Amino acid sequence: MEEIIIKGIDEKVYHDRSDNGLDIYMWVNEKVSNYYITYTTRYGALDTEFKLKNSKKVYKVPNGTAHFLEHIKFNTGEGTIANDFYDQYGISINAFTSYKNTSYEVFGNSHFEEALDYLIKYVSTPYFTEEIVEKEKGIICEEVKMGKNNPGSKLYFGTYKALLHKDKRKYLITGEEDEVNSITLEDVQNVFNNYYHPSNMFVIITGNFNPYEASAIIKKRIKEMNFGEYTFPERLKINEPESVVEKEMIIRSNIEIPKVKVCYKIKKDKFKDYDDLLLRIYIGMILRANFGASSDLKEELMEKDLITGMGYARDIIDDYILVYFTVETKYVDEVIKIIQDKYEHMEIDNEMLRRRKRANIASLINDYDDIEYVNSELLDNIIEYGKVIDNAYDLYSNIELSTLQKIIKLMQTDNMAIVKLLPNEEN
C-alpha cells in the first residue's frame, strides 16, 4: 500500500489497487466517529457518444443516460433496493451525476465493513429490467420539470447555452423529457458494461476506519465478482468554436431580484506555459483578490446597496477557460458595466498576494477537518488530474507576482456573454 504525503500540512492519503485495476484512496481522521465512502465511475453526462479501441462503431445514447442509470442502479433485485440493506443499520446512502463522473455514496458511524462491502457489491452488480426502466422514466421526467422551473437551474444551464455551441454541457444532466423517454434497456446495459468496470472506477474513504481492513474488504469483494478484461471507451473529440452563441440572453423566472452572469470564454492555448492545475490556482487567486468576499469591489457594491450578492467561478473545459461572475442586483445594466470595467482592470500587488497565499494555505489546512470535503476534493483531483494533488502547499507558497500579472493580461478578451435572469413580466 502506498502512502501519499500531502506536503506542508502533515496529512497522508493511503492508496491501494485491486488486481483488476480498482483504485482505492483512503484518508483517516481519528478525531471523528463516522465515515464517508464514495464509489465512482469515470462516466458522466458528457459521455453520450463513444467507441471502443480498435473499433469503428460509434455508440450513442440519449442525453441523461448517466443520470438515469444512477437512479435505477439502486434496484438490487425483484422488489428490493439498496436502501433496504442500509436502513437496517441506520446508514445513509445517495448518489450524484456530474458531467464527468457518477458517484455512489455511503455515510455512517457504525457497521463499516457491511456498509463498504455492500456498496461495492450493489453498484457493481447489474440488475436492470424493462419494467424498471419504464417505471423510472416518469419519476425522472418529474425531476426534469422541477429542475427546469428552478431559477438557479435556469441561469446555470442558460449560461452554458449562451457560451457553448457543441459542448454537451449545454444540455441538462438529466436530459429533456423526450430524451429520458427515449432511453432503452439496451442503452442502460451498454453504458454499464462499458463504464462500470473496476479499471474505470475508484473508491474514496474518509473518516475513522482502518485503511488496511478497508482495502482487504474491497479486494475480497471485487475478486469474488470475477470481472473480465476491460477496454477503455474513447470519448469522441468535440471541436468547440471560439465564439459565444449569444452575446446577450434574457431568461424569465419567478424571482423578485434579477440575477446576472457576466461570462468570458478564453482560448486555453493562450496559457500554453501553464498546466490546468496551475491555471485553476492562478486564476482563482486573481478572481478572489478582485471579486471575492473581502475584495474592495464587493464591499463597495454592498455598501452602496447596488448588489445583494456576488460570486465568481472559473471552469476549464477542454480547449477553453470560462470565467463567470454572478450578481444579484436591481441595477442590472449599471452593475454589468462595473463588473466589465473591473475585469478589464484587474490587479494584484505584493500585499494582496501575501494575504491570498496565507488564506489559501490556512484553508488547505483547515479543510482537513471535514471528511466530506476531503472526500470531494480527492474525487475532483482524480477526475480532473488523474491523481491526488500532494503539492498544493508548495504551489501556493511559490506563486510569484509577475506570473499573476502575466495571467491577468492573458485573461483579457472581448469574447463574452451576458445572461440576465429577470422577473416574469407580470411581476
Side-chain angles (χ1 to χ4, degrees):
M1 186 180 297
E2 173 191 16
E3 293 185 5
I4 302 171
I5 305 301
I6 309 300
K7 300 178 181 67
I9 60 173
D10 195 29
E11 296 288 349
K12 65 183 172 183
V13 173
Y14 296 90
H15 173 239
D16 207 353
R17 180 177 292 161
S18 71
D19 290 340
N20 50 15
L22 178 69
D23 282 303
I24 308 162
Y25 299 90
M26 298 167 285
W27 173 70
V28 178
N29 183 347
E30 295 179 348
K31 298 176 184 178
V32 301
S33 60
N34 49 2
Y35 57 84
Y36 179 48
I37 312 170
T38 52
Y39 188 18
T40 298
T41 174
R42 296 175 177 87
Y43 172 72
L46 296 180
D47 302 301
T48 59
E49 297 183 42
F50 59 92
K51 65 178 183 178
L52 301 182
K53 192 178 292 184
N54 302 321
S55 172
K56 294 183 179 179
K57 181 179 178 180
V58 175
Y59 295 84
K60 295 184 178 181
V61 296
N63 291 324
T65 301
H67 175 260
F68 193 96
L69 176 52
E70 173 221 306
H71 267 239
I72 65 174
K73 193 69 216 60
F74 285 95
N75 291 277
T76 54
E78 186 174 351
T80 63
I81 58 176
N83 305 66
D84 298 331
F85 176 86
Y86 287 104
D87 285 350
Q88 65 182 318
Y89 299 117
I91 295 172
S92 300
I93 65 169
N94 210 334
F96 56 90
T97 302
S98 69
Y99 290 114
K100 294 183 178 181
N101 61 278
T102 307
S103 299
Y104 300 84
E105 54 187 357
V106 171
F107 189 95
N109 54 20
S110 65
H111 297 91
F112 174 81
E113 179 177 352
E114 294 89 343
L116 175 58
D117 179 71
Y118 195 73
L119 175 66
I120 305 302
K121 179 182 178 181
Y122 97 79
V123 173
S124 301
T125 304
Y127 182 78
F128 311 121
T129 66
E130 293 278 6
E131 181 183 3
I132 287 171
V133 170
E134 292 306 311
K135 179 182 177 182
E136 201 67 31
K137 288 179 179 179
I139 297 170
I140 295 180
C141 282
E142 286 302 312
E143 183 180 336
V144 173
K145 291 177 185 177
M146 290 175 61
K148 290 174 73 172
N149 288 327
N150 179 277
S153 182
K154 284 184 176 183
L155 184 60
Y156 180 85
F157 288 105
T159 299
Y160 279 138
K161 287 180 179 179
L163 289 171
L164 303 172
H165 293 262
K166 296 181 179 181
D167 191 284
K168 294 182 182 295
R169 289 169 181 81
K170 65 186 292 185
Y171 302 118
L172 297 177
I173 289 176
T174 58
E176 299 284 354
E177 290 173 67
D178 60 333
E179 293 168 329
V180 172
N181 284 318
S182 72
I183 295 172
T184 65
L185 175 60
E186 183 181 2
D187 291 329
V188 170
Q189 291 172 328
N190 189 7
V191 165
F192 183 86
N193 292 336
N194 281 296
Y195 285 97
Y196 279 65
H197 186 281
S199 295
N200 194 47
M201 302 180 75
F202 57 91
V203 178
I204 300 174
I205 312 172
T206 52
N208 196 339
F209 64 98
N210 183 316
Y212 294 92
E213 176 191 11
S215 183
I217 293 167
I218 295 170
K219 288 181 176 180
K220 181 175 182 293
R221 170 55 67 185
I222 285 290
K223 185 175 182 180
E224 290 173 353
M225 301 187 77
N226 295 316
F227 286 92
E229 294 295 319
Y230 182 65
T231 300
F232 289 92
E234 177 186 343
R235 180 183 294 161
L236 301 185
K237 172 71 174 175
I238 293 176
N239 294 315
E240 171 65 29
E242 186 172 355
S243 64
V244 300
V245 179
E246 293 188 43
K247 291 285 188 181
E248 180 172 313
M249 176 183 287
I250 295 177
I251 306 169
R252 297 284 176 177
S253 189
N254 185 28
I255 58 173
E256 292 185 6
I257 302 176
K259 288 189 176 182
V260 179
K261 273 191 178 286
V262 181
C263 317
Y264 295 88
K265 184 178 182 182
I266 314 165
K267 285 280 284 184
K268 194 171 76 173
D269 60 14
K270 293 175 64 176
F271 305 86
K272 57 186 176 182
D273 294 334
Y274 312 98
D275 63 24
D276 285 3
L277 176 58
L278 286 176
L279 279 177
R280 288 181 194 276
I281 290 174
Y282 294 159
I283 294 175
M285 183 170 283
I286 290 165
L287 295 178
R288 195 172 296 116
N290 287 272
F291 297 92
S294 59
S295 66
D296 292 342
L297 177 67
K298 184 170 184 179
E299 290 181 1
E300 179 184 351
L301 293 176
M302 294 290 287
E303 286 176 5
K304 292 180 178 179
D305 291 328
L306 287 175
I307 63 170
T308 52
M310 183 173 80
Y312 65 87
R314 82 285 194 210
D315 281 341
I316 298 179
I317 294 178
D318 296 329
D319 298 330
Y320 293 91
I321 295 169
L322 306 181
V323 176
Y324 322 88
F325 303 98
T326 307
V327 185
E328 188 175 70
T329 177
K330 295 179 180 178
Y331 310 97
V332 172
D333 293 331
E334 181 179 353
V335 171
I336 288 174
K337 290 179 182 178
I338 292 172
I339 297 294
Q340 289 175 309
D341 182 69
K342 182 61 178 177
Y343 186 85
E344 292 171 5
H345 298 91
M346 290 186 294
E347 59 184 0
I348 192 162
D349 57 29
N350 276 314
E351 178 58 24
M352 295 166 74
L353 174 58
R354 186 186 65 79
R355 291 202 307 267
R356 293 269 52 87
K357 279 187 178 182
R358 188 173 59 192
N360 285 337
I361 290 172
S363 178
L364 191 65
I365 296 169
N366 293 335
D367 288 341
Y368 271 82
D369 289 334
D370 186 335
I371 66 171
E372 291 184 69
Y373 179 87
V374 173
N375 198 300
S376 177
E377 190 71 9
L378 292 173
L379 196 159
D380 287 346
N381 283 181
I382 296 159
I383 291 295
E384 294 298 332
Y385 312 112
K387 62 180 181 180
V388 174
I389 303 304
D390 61 359
N391 62 336
Y393 183 95
D394 291 341
L395 293 176
Y396 285 130
S397 299
N398 295 327
I399 294 175
E400 296 182 349
L401 182 62
S402 59
T403 303
L404 294 176
Q405 291 171 338
K406 183 178 179 180
I407 295 291
I408 288 174
K409 291 179 181 178
L410 294 174
M411 289 173 66
Q412 299 308 309
T413 179
D414 294 327
N415 198 30
M416 63 175 300
I418 305 294
V419 184
K420 300 177 180 178
L421 183 69
L422 305 178
N424 291 327
E425 293 178 307
E426 62 268 22
N427 283 359

